Amino acid sequence: MKRFSNLIALASVALSLSGLAHGAETKAAKPDLAAGESKATTVCAACHAIDGSRGLAANPILQGQHPEYLVKQLMEFKEGKRKNAVMNGMAAALTPEDMRNVAAFYGSKKMPVGTAKNQALVAMGEKIYRGGIAKKGVPACAGCHSPNGAGIPVQYPRLGGQHADYVKAQLTAFRQGERTNNAQMISISANLSDKEIEALADYVAGLR
């Protein structure tokens, strides 16, 4: 009986040590913002600006984006699940730690405020974003990306303030089967016309 008790005690100690080790690993895995900024400055700045802010309209604003979502996209670029000649090459050179650090750096910034520019399409864009298009089976974008475009970490990116040109390009790519890393978006975009995509893209650019 005493031997059995000793074994239980030893097992408890082992579990405790394992928990401490796991805690140390978790702490060590915390993103390094300084390292992320350094990597972003040397690798990402040419296309996304030094802090991931506005940059070229053809490239996404990374500033204020959910770190979890950014890591997911970088990993899918690295694995070839998402196709882009430039990003596939850039992501291939990044380690998982690099990705976490860069994503945390961009995520620590505040998304810049954008504006809708096509007033003729604002009403259409708002209607689709908030209410969807029932007859086409298009759900309200706000259901996943939130009413103010803040999105939900990991799966649903922040859209509020994003470049309209970039959003339009991505919705079109989903519709045409050129972007294949999100089945839900492929299905939704398949039912959107060019005008509806343009209206949505312009509308979300002004969300805040």
Side-chain angles (χ1 to χ4, degrees):
M1 189 70 176
K2 184 176 181 181
R3 183 181 178 186
F4 183 66
S5 298
N6 289 339
L7 287 173
I8 292 176
L10 287 171
S12 298
V13 171
L15 286 173
S16 297
L17 291 173
S18 175
L20 288 172
H22 178 70
E25 290 174 3
T26 302
K27 186 175 182 180
K30 184 177 180 180
D32 184 332
L33 294 182
E37 180 176 11
S38 177
K39 184 66 68 172
T41 300
T42 57
V43 178
C44 315
C47 294
H48 299 286
I50 293 176
D51 60 359
S53 57
R54 304 212 69 80
L56 297 175
N59 300 322
I61 297 170
L62 302 181
Q63 197 173 47
Q65 189 56 269
H66 301 302
E68 301 92 337
Y69 179 77
L70 291 179
V71 169
K72 179 177 183 290
Q73 298 308 303
L74 286 170
M75 188 60 71
E76 292 182 352
F77 277 127
K78 187 180 181 78
E79 295 172 349
K81 294 179 181 179
R82 182 174 175 183
K83 307 292 185 181
N84 180 285
V86 174
M87 284 305 304
N88 291 147
M90 292 293 185
L94 297 177
T95 66
E97 183 180 17
D98 289 334
M99 294 179 187
R100 289 193 298 271
N101 292 339
V102 169
F105 167 67
Y106 285 134
S108 70
K109 306 298 180 180
K110 184 178 181 180
M111 174 72 94
V113 175
T115 56
K117 298 178 181 179
N118 193 335
Q119 294 302 314
L121 294 177
V122 166
M124 176 188 287
E126 181 177 18
K127 184 176 181 180
I128 297 171
Y129 189 88
R130 299 189 178 284
I133 308 174
K135 63 182 180 181
K136 288 187 174 184
V138 174
C141 308
C144 293
H145 296 283
S146 77
N148 65 350
I152 302 172
V154 185
Q155 290 189 337
Y156 307 116
R158 178 184 295 276
L159 295 181
Q162 187 58 266
H163 287 308
D165 287 357
Y166 177 74
V167 175
K168 178 181 177 181
Q170 295 311 300
L171 287 173
T172 301
F174 277 127
R175 187 181 66 184
Q176 296 178 177
E178 296 169 357
R179 180 173 172 181
T180 59
N181 68 326
N182 188 300
Q184 184 179 20
M185 285 307 304
I186 292 172
S187 177
I188 292 171
S189 299
N191 295 311
L192 293 173
S193 68
D194 288 345
K195 187 175 182 180
E196 289 163 347
I197 285 177
E198 185 176 353
L200 269 175
D202 191 63
Y203 176 71
V204 298
L207 275 176
R208 60 193 73 181

